[in-house]
Amino acid sequence: MVVMILERVPESLRGELARWLIEPHPGVFVGDVSAMVRDRLWEKCCRRLAGGAALQVWSSNTEQGFEVRTWGATRREIVDLEGLRLVRLR
């Protein structure tokens, strides 16, 4: 499973993501895609953010059961504390 959260991005980018993932809330995308598709969607988002921000979370074989990555300026920062991913407000 993959979850992507986009902030302040062009509508066209949201439309492209909607081809692969569902959008249950504006800017929040959820789906079950392969690792290759997940990485290509991430690359596309990073290229086309236009001053926005993105966060991607996906299932993984880790202690917490997921991995996370961000791109762009957000108020939240992902911090790794001895292998545990936490969120810190800036």
Side-chain angles (χ1 to χ4, degrees):
M1 176 184 275
V2 65
V3 176
M4 293 184 72
I5 301 173
L6 305 180
E7 301 174 0
R8 305 175 311 277
V9 299
E11 290 292 323
S12 61
L13 177 57
R14 288 177 53 195
E16 281 195 50
L17 285 180
R19 294 178 186 171
W20 296 93
L21 309 168
I22 65 166
E23 188 177 13
H25 192 285
V28 178
F29 296 87
V30 179
D32 189 15
V33 295
S34 69
M36 182 183 72
V37 171
R38 177 194 71 219
D39 291 341
R40 291 205 177 157
L41 290 174
W42 180 251
E43 291 167 6
K44 182 180 293 249
C45 285
C46 291
R47 283 194 311 269
R48 299 191 46 209
L49 280 179
L55 176 129
Q56 187 179 59
V57 180
W58 67 95
S59 300
S60 181
N61 190 18
T62 63
E63 283 288 319
Q64 290 177 294
F66 63 87
E67 290 285 338
V68 62
R69 57 185 165 191
T70 62
W71 186 265
T74 65
R75 288 193 53 225
R76 299 177 190 279
E77 176 184 11
I78 306 300
V79 179
D80 187 293
L81 184 64
E82 297 182 14
L84 212 67
R85 302 282 173 103
L86 303 173
V87 177
R88 175 173 43 196
L89 293 176
R90 295 182 190 198

